[in-house]
Amino acid sequence: MIGRPNHGTRDVMEQDRPDVYAPSAIEGKWQKTWEEHGTNGFTPETFKSAENPFYNLMMFPYPSAEGLHVGNIYAFTGADVHGRYQRLIGRNVFEPIGFDAFGIHSENFALKQGVNPMDLTPKNVANFTRQLRRIGGMFDWDHTVNTSDPDYYRWTQWIFVQLFKAGLAERKEAPVNWCPSCMTVLANEQVLSGLCERCDTPVEQRHIAQWFFRITDYTQRLLDNLKTIDWSDTTLKAQENWIGRSEGATLEFPVLPADEGVAEGKEGEPAGSPFDGPTISVFTTRPDTVFGATYMVLAPEHPLVEAITTSDRKLEVKAYQEAAAKLDLVARQKDDKTKTGVFTGTMCLNPATGKPIPVWIADYVLIEYGTGAIMAVPGHDQRDFEFAQTFGLPIPRVVAGPGDTADTPLDEAYAGDGTLVNSGQFNGLPWREGARDIVKWLEGVTWLGGKGFAEAKVTYRLHDWCISRQRYWGPPIPIIYCDRCGPLPVPEEDLPVILPRLEDFKPDDSGVSPLARVEEWYKTGCPECGGEARRETDVSDTFLDSSWYFLRYPSTDREDGPMDQEITQRWLPVDCYIGGEEHAVLHLLYARFITMALKDMGHLDFEEPFTKFRKHGLIIRDGAKMSKSKGNVIVPDPIIEEFGADTFRLYLMFLGPFSEGGDYRDEGIQGPYGFLHRLFDTVVSVIGSDEGKQPPDPRVEQKLHKTIKQLSEQVPNLQYNTAIAAMMEYLNAVRTGGRHAVRAEVEPLVVLVAPFAPHLAEELWSRLGHTESVFEGANWPAFDPEKAAEETVKIAVQVNGKLRGTVEAPAGTSQEEAEALALAQENVTRHLDGLTVRRVIFIPNRLLNFVVG
RNA sequence: GCGGAAGUGGCGGAACUGGUAGACGCGCGAGAUUUAGGAUCUCGUGGCUUAGGCCGUGGGGGUUCGAGUCCCCCCUUUCGCACCA
């Protein structure tokens, strides 16, 4: 009777047969109802006054021309199940969706197709909207955003202006990552192992004046707050690593004048007094090893290089600097690259030993970390060791590991625990104490106005956020340059600065945006003096668009400000955010920073935007990530057409643990499809034949309460795959042996399945005689612990830990009774025959183990 | 190198604080029903087996009455960061 639909045709034929499950008819009907009456039960009034608000957020998609892919649907379905569950337990759930439509993705695609992103984007958004409705999400279509809409980016620009006014946006010339293929600068976060995140082109270093957000002012807070938010562990770890706190010290190494020869000081006392020349600052996490610093290295780009290079070395140093500049980051960062470098001709004093040491430049020292200079301790740092070996520099030991003496030779750097040796008065100290004491000592060794040679210091890996992009498809940075008044923010009443329509929006290698080619656009008047001025022509990073979209959703009606105070207070921060791990350090970090900054400026009263964050896994197919090049991409539309959105949703959630992802197999969808069929048949079968008079079968009822209990624990924790398995098991129990189900057995199951298969649940709920939506009229069923309790249990009987039988007994059977029952079994007694029982282990209701010898 | 996750049937995956390994589903086998079916229903399905058992959760040790689960060593896969001083 129930046929596998052949691409919908069968389904259409069966639309007139009310006893047959016809997914597309049912889903069409309910989607229409939701469209007419709203998906989530809100009116504009109840939205403002929701008593039990739950903000359920998912990561908004970039609307590609290909349409929604399975990964999107997987993520949105998992989040939607969570939202629908929250609704069934009585929360007022706000579940918005929007479009991250600005950015290089869209622009590159438009370039490739030879179309304008202004034309392409609305088409893509319309297609996404259609698909999102088709999968049955509980999306709030009255509160949607599109980052490329002037009504939205007006406020993106407003945020830029606020940051500028707060001193958190600054323009500085800095070495930046330049992607020669995308022809734009990239944030550090967008460079992966020296390659452009987007196109895998090796990234070059360029010096361009750029706008930066001072996220580093917030480093410690971004780190400390991680302890206060409920996020997936791996995501917290990734943020912690990215922020990269290192504790150590900066040490000062006085530069010896080139012509004064070498004046050795006494050990432990810097030579010369008082010293008044320049010093080289280095950052180290191992100040305890300073006695082993036998040379210094500056990054080739270090500003002191030119000043300290002796005249005889100038040519060689210059050549090295140029060679280093040419190397792209990939080549420079190769692990197995042999160490190169040149001597500057200058010596420094090691402030601990008082001895002169040579200053080199080498590309293994990076300008952007620490001070761009290091003290090299070849005995205890492998990179320094390799360098010292290459250039024949001394490699003394200053830390002795277990079993080492001060003279144990080193055949590689020793970076482990140990005690200090060859370190003057600090010999014998464990290295940690040594580090502390040496810093304290060098702090006290002063020269030049009392400044010491050391200072305890914390360094972070996190850099300021470069947000300028020399591209077209983004919000213009709202800044005006006036020769007289300097860079000024666009007055707030003049926002938005509209992105003009350009027919030629192709980026070029000039280091400026295509907007710089449009004189009538960038020429403007100075907001201060009214004189001739020029707009900033760069646009801002896409990640700025997405750093605050969740703040806008509830306030999309508001036209005179980015956020409505009252609504924001009611709905934010976000109760639960579900998204992919790939944004663990990009989007999630920026969103936290922007939220903190807005809080400090008085626009928000909280500083962490996402109270709870859960990452979802990845759907793979044939053991690999879906990609066009591998040809293993699943196009969702035909599958939804064939099996229905409910089946597709259920299948995706059933594939594996939601947090881990799953392996998509085409045939696997038959399982959930059959389950929904059987559910439909079973529920339909109780209508008319049983109007709630018949009591449920006691065994089925017990199973029902166990199932409710299990789902009530697992669904809120996103453990969907096992929750679905439990529902299948329950339905199997209801149908065991072809028995006839009764209403009380199946009605609660309709509610349990509703978050996963909302259309079918609505249909069955209505057929059961209810007039309201299941999400309005039904409550998540409660379970009765007494009814969920097992009445009889199977106790495993073991002899010496090996299973020899099981006994069935009432729950709570005593050890004596259980033993008696077990000893009545021939298979048990046979194994005890002729042996002494030394001990009996009894775990009530579970296990009985005879220990014999 | 640093940081994290994971190795269980033919496959995806279950297994709470150590307590009957393989739930649920796919696939496969047998049968029923059907004009037919890639539909539905029933039963079976880790391996070996002398049919009593034996062996089985990446490998090797250990703790325990009992280990997928705890401890030690190793192997593999995978993700994030990475010449970060």
PDB file of all heavy atoms in Angstrom, chain B residues 74-84:
ATOM      1  P     C B  74      55.396   6.003  24.157  1.00  0.00           P
ATOM      2  OP1   C B  74      56.629   6.713  23.767  1.00  0.00           O
ATOM      3  OP2   C B  74      54.211   6.772  24.586  1.00  0.00           O
ATOM      4  O5'   C B  74      54.950   5.052  22.961  1.00  0.00           O
ATOM      5  C5'   C B  74      55.905   4.213  22.318  1.00  0.00           C
ATOM      6  C4'   C B  74      55.208   3.214  21.433  1.00  0.00           C
ATOM      7  O4'   C B  74      54.168   2.521  22.180  1.00  0.00           O
ATOM      8  C3'   C B  74      54.443   3.778  20.240  1.00  0.00           C
ATOM      9  O3'   C B  74      55.287   4.149  19.171  1.00  0.00           O
ATOM     10  C2'   C B  74      53.531   2.605  19.902  1.00  0.00           C
ATOM     11  O2'   C B  74      54.233   1.573  19.232  1.00  0.00           O
ATOM     12  C1'   C B  74      53.134   2.110  21.296  1.00  0.00           C
ATOM     13  N1    C B  74      51.843   2.706  21.725  1.00  0.00           N
ATOM     14  C2    C B  74      50.663   2.212  21.150  1.00  0.00           C
ATOM     15  O2    C B  74      50.750   1.298  20.312  1.00  0.00           O
ATOM     16  N3    C B  74      49.476   2.735  21.516  1.00  0.00           N
ATOM     17  C4    C B  74      49.436   3.709  22.417  1.00  0.00           C
ATOM     18  N4    C B  74      48.231   4.187  22.740  1.00  0.00           N
ATOM     19  C5    C B  74      50.616   4.242  23.012  1.00  0.00           C
ATOM     20  C6    C B  74      51.791   3.716  22.647  1.00  0.00           C
ATOM     21  P     C B  75      54.798   5.266  18.156  1.00  0.00           P
ATOM     22  OP1   C B  75      55.935   5.600  17.289  1.00  0.00           O
ATOM     23  OP2   C B  75      54.095   6.328  18.910  1.00  0.00           O
ATOM     24  O5'   C B  75      53.711   4.493  17.280  1.00  0.00           O
ATOM     25  C5'   C B  75      54.092   3.396  16.462  1.00  0.00           C
ATOM     26  C4'   C B  75      52.866   2.813  15.790  1.00  0.00           C
ATOM     27  O4'   C B  75      51.931   2.330  16.796  1.00  0.00           O
ATOM     28  C3'   C B  75      52.031   3.806  14.990  1.00  0.00           C
ATOM     29  O3'   C B  75      52.583   4.071  13.717  1.00  0.00           O
ATOM     30  C2'   C B  75      50.688   3.100  14.934  1.00  0.00           C
ATOM     31  O2'   C B  75      50.700   2.045  13.992  1.00  0.00           O
ATOM     32  C1'   C B  75      50.599   2.507  16.333  1.00  0.00           C
ATOM     33  N1    C B  75      49.872   3.398  17.275  1.00  0.00           N
ATOM     34  C2    C B  75      48.473   3.473  17.178  1.00  0.00           C
ATOM     35  O2    C B  75      47.900   2.806  16.315  1.00  0.00           O
ATOM     36  N3    C B  75      47.793   4.286  18.027  1.00  0.00           N
ATOM     37  C4    C B  75      48.463   4.990  18.953  1.00  0.00           C
ATOM     38  N4    C B  75      47.753   5.767  19.761  1.00  0.00           N
ATOM     39  C5    C B  75      49.875   4.936  19.055  1.00  0.00           C
ATOM     40  C6    C B  75      50.539   4.134  18.211  1.00  0.00           C
ATOM     41  P     U B  76      52.370   5.499  13.056  1.00  0.00           P
ATOM     42  OP1   U B  76      53.205   5.555  11.845  1.00  0.00           O
ATOM     43  OP2   U B  76      52.510   6.531  14.111  1.00  0.00           O
ATOM     44  O5'   U B  76      50.840   5.450  12.611  1.00  0.00           O
ATOM     45  C5'   U B  76      50.393   4.484  11.669  1.00  0.00           C
ATOM     46  C4'   U B  76      48.887   4.503  11.590  1.00  0.00           C
ATOM     47  O4'   U B  76      48.320   4.186  12.889  1.00  0.00           O
ATOM     48  C3'   U B  76      48.284   5.864  11.265  1.00  0.00           C
ATOM     49  O3'   U B  76      48.341   6.163   9.880  1.00  0.00           O
ATOM     50  C2'   U B  76      46.858   5.705  11.789  1.00  0.00           C
ATOM     51  O2'   U B  76      46.068   4.936  10.908  1.00  0.00           O
ATOM     52  C1'   U B  76      47.103   4.890  13.059  1.00  0.00           C
ATOM     53  N1    U B  76      47.189   5.745  14.268  1.00  0.00           N
ATOM     54  C2    U B  76      45.997   6.235  14.786  1.00  0.00           C
ATOM     55  O2    U B  76      44.916   6.001  14.290  1.00  0.00           O
ATOM     56  N3    U B  76      46.126   7.007  15.912  1.00  0.00           N
ATOM     57  C4    U B  76      47.300   7.343  16.558  1.00  0.00           C
ATOM     58  O4    U B  76      47.262   8.050  17.563  1.00  0.00           O
ATOM     59  C5    U B  76      48.494   6.809  15.959  1.00  0.00           C
ATOM     60  C6    U B  76      48.399   6.048  14.855  1.00  0.00           C
ATOM     61  P     U B  77      48.460   7.663   9.417  1.00  0.00           P
ATOM     62  OP1   U B  77      48.836   7.673   7.996  1.00  0.00           O
ATOM     63  OP2   U B  77      49.267   8.405  10.408  1.00  0.00           O
ATOM     64  O5'   U B  77      46.952   8.168   9.545  1.00  0.00           O
ATOM     65  C5'   U B  77      45.907   7.489   8.857  1.00  0.00           C
ATOM     66  C4'   U B  77      44.567   7.940   9.382  1.00  0.00           C
ATOM     67  O4'   U B  77      44.449   7.586  10.785  1.00  0.00           O
ATOM     68  C3'   U B  77      44.343   9.441   9.378  1.00  0.00           C
ATOM     69  O3'   U B  77      43.984   9.923   8.102  1.00  0.00           O
ATOM     70  C2'   U B  77      43.231   9.593  10.417  1.00  0.00           C
ATOM     71  O2'   U B  77      41.980   9.218   9.878  1.00  0.00           O
ATOM     72  C1'   U B  77      43.639   8.546  11.452  1.00  0.00           C
ATOM     73  N1    U B  77      44.389   9.130  12.581  1.00  0.00           N
ATOM     74  C2    U B  77      43.657   9.830  13.535  1.00  0.00           C
ATOM     75  O2    U B  77      42.450   9.968  13.470  1.00  0.00           O
ATOM     76  N3    U B  77      44.389  10.338  14.567  1.00  0.00           N
ATOM     77  C4    U B  77      45.759  10.238  14.753  1.00  0.00           C
ATOM     78  O4    U B  77      46.273  10.750  15.740  1.00  0.00           O
ATOM     79  C5    U B  77      46.447   9.519  13.727  1.00  0.00           C
ATOM     80  C6    U B  77      45.753   9.003  12.702  1.00  0.00           C
ATOM     81  P     U B  78      44.473  11.363   7.660  1.00  0.00           P
ATOM     82  OP1   U B  78      44.099  11.546   6.244  1.00  0.00           O
ATOM     83  OP2   U B  78      45.879  11.569   8.089  1.00  0.00           O
ATOM     84  O5'   U B  78      43.546  12.295   8.556  1.00  0.00           O
ATOM     85  C5'   U B  78      42.125  12.253   8.410  1.00  0.00           C
ATOM     86  C4'   U B  78      41.469  13.000   9.545  1.00  0.00           C
ATOM     87  O4'   U B  78      41.836  12.365  10.805  1.00  0.00           O
ATOM     88  C3'   U B  78      41.941  14.441   9.728  1.00  0.00           C
ATOM     89  O3'   U B  78      41.316  15.323   8.815  1.00  0.00           O
ATOM     90  C2'   U B  78      41.570  14.694  11.186  1.00  0.00           C
ATOM     91  O2'   U B  78      40.186  14.909  11.332  1.00  0.00           O
ATOM     92  C1'   U B  78      41.928  13.350  11.824  1.00  0.00           C
ATOM     93  N1    U B  78      43.287  13.355  12.379  1.00  0.00           N
ATOM     94  C2    U B  78      43.450  13.908  13.644  1.00  0.00           C
ATOM     95  O2    U B  78      42.525  14.384  14.268  1.00  0.00           O
ATOM     96  N3    U B  78      44.723  13.890  14.137  1.00  0.00           N
ATOM     97  C4    U B  78      45.850  13.375  13.506  1.00  0.00           C
ATOM     98  O4    U B  78      46.936  13.435  14.084  1.00  0.00           O
ATOM     99  C5    U B  78      45.607  12.822  12.205  1.00  0.00           C
ATOM    100  C6    U B  78      44.363  12.832  11.699  1.00  0.00           C
ATOM    101  P     C B  79      42.140  16.581   8.311  1.00  0.00           P
ATOM    102  OP1   C B  79      41.560  16.981   7.024  1.00  0.00           O
ATOM    103  OP2   C B  79      43.583  16.342   8.434  1.00  0.00           O
ATOM    104  O5'   C B  79      41.742  17.675   9.401  1.00  0.00           O
ATOM    105  C5'   C B  79      40.372  17.989   9.630  1.00  0.00           C
ATOM    106  C4'   C B  79      40.241  18.740  10.928  1.00  0.00           C
ATOM    107  O4'   C B  79      40.667  17.877  12.020  1.00  0.00           O
ATOM    108  C3'   C B  79      41.133  19.955  11.088  1.00  0.00           C
ATOM    109  O3'   C B  79      40.655  21.089  10.391  1.00  0.00           O
ATOM    110  C2'   C B  79      41.129  20.127  12.601  1.00  0.00           C
ATOM    111  O2'   C B  79      39.908  20.681  13.045  1.00  0.00           O
ATOM    112  C1'   C B  79      41.223  18.672  13.059  1.00  0.00           C
ATOM    113  N1    C B  79      42.615  18.253  13.310  1.00  0.00           N
ATOM    114  C2    C B  79      43.169  18.590  14.560  1.00  0.00           C
ATOM    115  O2    C B  79      42.472  19.219  15.369  1.00  0.00           O
ATOM    116  N3    C B  79      44.437  18.218  14.849  1.00  0.00           N
ATOM    117  C4    C B  79      45.154  17.541  13.943  1.00  0.00           C
ATOM    118  N4    C B  79      46.401  17.203  14.280  1.00  0.00           N
ATOM    119  C5    C B  79      44.631  17.194  12.668  1.00  0.00           C
ATOM    120  C6    C B  79      43.361  17.566  12.396  1.00  0.00           C
ATOM    121  P     G B  80      41.724  22.133   9.810  1.00  0.00           P
ATOM    122  OP1   G B  80      40.972  23.018   8.904  1.00  0.00           O
ATOM    123  OP2   G B  80      42.938  21.439   9.330  1.00  0.00           O
ATOM    124  O5'   G B  80      42.126  22.956  11.117  1.00  0.00           O
ATOM    125  C5'   G B  80      41.144  23.716  11.799  1.00  0.00           C
ATOM    126  C4'   G B  80      41.714  24.259  13.076  1.00  0.00           C
ATOM    127  O4'   G B  80      42.064  23.157  13.960  1.00  0.00           O
ATOM    128  C3'   G B  80      43.028  25.016  12.938  1.00  0.00           C
ATOM    129  O3'   G B  80      42.871  26.332  12.474  1.00  0.00           O
ATOM    130  C2'   G B  80      43.563  24.948  14.375  1.00  0.00           C
ATOM    131  O2'   G B  80      42.842  25.829  15.218  1.00  0.00           O
ATOM    132  C1'   G B  80      43.207  23.512  14.737  1.00  0.00           C
ATOM    133  N9    G B  80      44.308  22.602  14.418  1.00  0.00           N
ATOM    134  C8    G B  80      44.419  21.745  13.349  1.00  0.00           C
ATOM    135  N7    G B  80      45.532  21.068  13.357  1.00  0.00           N
ATOM    136  C5    G B  80      46.199  21.506  14.495  1.00  0.00           C
ATOM    137  C6    G B  80      47.461  21.131  15.034  1.00  0.00           C
ATOM    138  O6    G B  80      48.272  20.305  14.595  1.00  0.00           O
ATOM    139  N1    G B  80      47.748  21.833  16.202  1.00  0.00           N
ATOM    140  C2    G B  80      46.933  22.767  16.780  1.00  0.00           C
ATOM    141  N2    G B  80      47.377  23.338  17.896  1.00  0.00           N
ATOM    142  N3    G B  80      45.745  23.131  16.290  1.00  0.00           N
ATOM    143  C4    G B  80      45.449  22.453  15.155  1.00  0.00           C
ATOM    144  P     C B  81      44.023  26.963  11.567  1.00  0.00           P
ATOM    145  OP1   C B  81      43.531  28.281  11.161  1.00  0.00           O
ATOM    146  OP2   C B  81      44.454  25.980  10.550  1.00  0.00           O
ATOM    147  O5'   C B  81      45.218  27.164  12.594  1.00  0.00           O
ATOM    148  C5'   C B  81      45.109  28.112  13.638  1.00  0.00           C
ATOM    149  C4'   C B  81      46.301  28.050  14.540  1.00  0.00           C
ATOM    150  O4'   C B  81      46.423  26.709  15.090  1.00  0.00           O
ATOM    151  C3'   C B  81      47.656  28.250  13.882  1.00  0.00           C
ATOM    152  O3'   C B  81      47.934  29.603  13.556  1.00  0.00           O
ATOM    153  C2'   C B  81      48.579  27.680  14.953  1.00  0.00           C
ATOM    154  O2'   C B  81      48.674  28.547  16.058  1.00  0.00           O
ATOM    155  C1'   C B  81      47.790  26.437  15.352  1.00  0.00           C
ATOM    156  N1    C B  81      48.229  25.264  14.548  1.00  0.00           N
ATOM    157  C2    C B  81      49.401  24.608  14.947  1.00  0.00           C
ATOM    158  O2    C B  81      49.998  25.012  15.957  1.00  0.00           O
ATOM    159  N3    C B  81      49.833  23.549  14.236  1.00  0.00           N
ATOM    160  C4    C B  81      49.163  23.153  13.161  1.00  0.00           C
ATOM    161  N4    C B  81      49.643  22.111  12.487  1.00  0.00           N
ATOM    162  C5    C B  81      47.979  23.806  12.723  1.00  0.00           C
ATOM    163  C6    C B  81      47.545  24.856  13.440  1.00  0.00           C
ATOM    164  P     A B  82      48.763  29.846  12.217  1.00  0.00           P
ATOM    165  OP1   A B  82      48.890  31.312  12.113  1.00  0.00           O
ATOM    166  OP2   A B  82      48.197  29.077  11.090  1.00  0.00           O
ATOM    167  O5'   A B  82      50.175  29.211  12.552  1.00  0.00           O
ATOM    168  C5'   A B  82      51.060  29.872  13.429  1.00  0.00           C
ATOM    169  C4'   A B  82      52.166  28.946  13.836  1.00  0.00           C
ATOM    170  O4'   A B  82      51.667  27.611  14.050  1.00  0.00           O
ATOM    171  C3'   A B  82      53.265  28.716  12.811  1.00  0.00           C
ATOM    172  O3'   A B  82      54.130  29.825  12.737  1.00  0.00           O
ATOM    173  C2'   A B  82      53.938  27.477  13.401  1.00  0.00           C
ATOM    174  O2'   A B  82      54.714  27.799  14.536  1.00  0.00           O
ATOM    175  C1'   A B  82      52.712  26.672  13.854  1.00  0.00           C
ATOM    176  N9    A B  82      52.334  25.721  12.799  1.00  0.00           N
ATOM    177  C8    A B  82      51.261  25.755  11.931  1.00  0.00           C
ATOM    178  N7    A B  82      51.235  24.751  11.092  1.00  0.00           N
ATOM    179  C5    A B  82      52.361  24.005  11.418  1.00  0.00           C
ATOM    180  C6    A B  82      52.906  22.823  10.902  1.00  0.00           C
ATOM    181  N6    A B  82      52.373  22.159   9.892  1.00  0.00           N
ATOM    182  N1    A B  82      54.038  22.355  11.463  1.00  0.00           N
ATOM    183  C2    A B  82      54.581  23.031  12.481  1.00  0.00           C
ATOM    184  N3    A B  82      54.167  24.163  13.054  1.00  0.00           N
ATOM    185  C4    A B  82      53.045  24.597  12.473  1.00  0.00           C
ATOM    186  P     C B  83      55.198  29.850  11.565  1.00  0.00           P
ATOM    187  OP1   C B  83      55.355  31.163  10.963  1.00  0.00           O
ATOM    188  OP2   C B  83      54.841  28.722  10.717  1.00  0.00           O
ATOM    189  O5'   C B  83      56.530  29.529  12.397  1.00  0.00           O
ATOM    190  C5'   C B  83      57.154  28.265  12.290  1.00  0.00           C
ATOM    191  C4'   C B  83      58.294  28.183  13.291  1.00  0.00           C
ATOM    192  O4'   C B  83      59.509  27.937  12.555  1.00  0.00           O
ATOM    193  C3'   C B  83      58.528  29.453  14.107  1.00  0.00           C
ATOM    194  O3'   C B  83      59.069  29.124  15.392  1.00  0.00           O
ATOM    195  C2'   C B  83      59.603  30.165  13.300  1.00  0.00           C
ATOM    196  O2'   C B  83      60.444  30.970  14.104  1.00  0.00           O
ATOM    197  C1'   C B  83      60.437  28.983  12.804  1.00  0.00           C
ATOM    198  N1    C B  83      61.132  29.212  11.553  1.00  0.00           N
ATOM    199  C2    C B  83      62.311  28.496  11.341  1.00  0.00           C
ATOM    200  O2    C B  83      62.696  27.713  12.209  1.00  0.00           O
ATOM    201  N3    C B  83      62.988  28.677  10.188  1.00  0.00           N
ATOM    202  C4    C B  83      62.522  29.527   9.278  1.00  0.00           C
ATOM    203  N4    C B  83      63.202  29.662   8.163  1.00  0.00           N
ATOM    204  C5    C B  83      61.322  30.262   9.482  1.00  0.00           C
ATOM    205  C6    C B  83      60.676  30.085  10.617  1.00  0.00           C
ATOM    206  P     C B  84      58.119  28.565  16.567  1.00  0.00           P
ATOM    207  OP1   C B  84      58.978  27.980  17.598  1.00  0.00           O
ATOM    208  OP2   C B  84      56.967  27.806  16.030  1.00  0.00           O
ATOM    209  O5'   C B  84      57.523  29.943  17.127  1.00  0.00           O
ATOM    210  C5'   C B  84      58.280  30.761  18.014  1.00  0.00           C
ATOM    211  C4'   C B  84      57.336  31.417  19.004  1.00  0.00           C
ATOM    212  O4'   C B  84      56.720  32.518  18.331  1.00  0.00           O
ATOM    213  C3'   C B  84      56.223  30.455  19.447  1.00  0.00           C
ATOM    214  O3'   C B  84      56.204  30.116  20.814  1.00  0.00           O
ATOM    215  C2'   C B  84      54.921  31.020  18.832  1.00  0.00           C
ATOM    216  O2'   C B  84      53.846  31.070  19.707  1.00  0.00           O
ATOM    217  C1'   C B  84      55.318  32.419  18.365  1.00  0.00           C
ATOM    218  N1    C B  84      54.799  32.655  17.010  1.00  0.00           N
ATOM    219  C2    C B  84      53.761  33.575  16.811  1.00  0.00           C
ATOM    220  O2    C B  84      53.305  34.175  17.787  1.00  0.00           O
ATOM    221  N3    C B  84      53.287  33.769  15.567  1.00  0.00           N
ATOM    222  C4    C B  84      53.806  33.102  14.536  1.00  0.00           C
ATOM    223  N4    C B  84      53.307  33.332  13.335  1.00  0.00           N
ATOM    224  C5    C B  84      54.842  32.179  14.715  1.00  0.00           C
ATOM    225  C6    C B  84      55.304  31.977  15.961  1.00  0.00           C
TER     226        C B  84
END
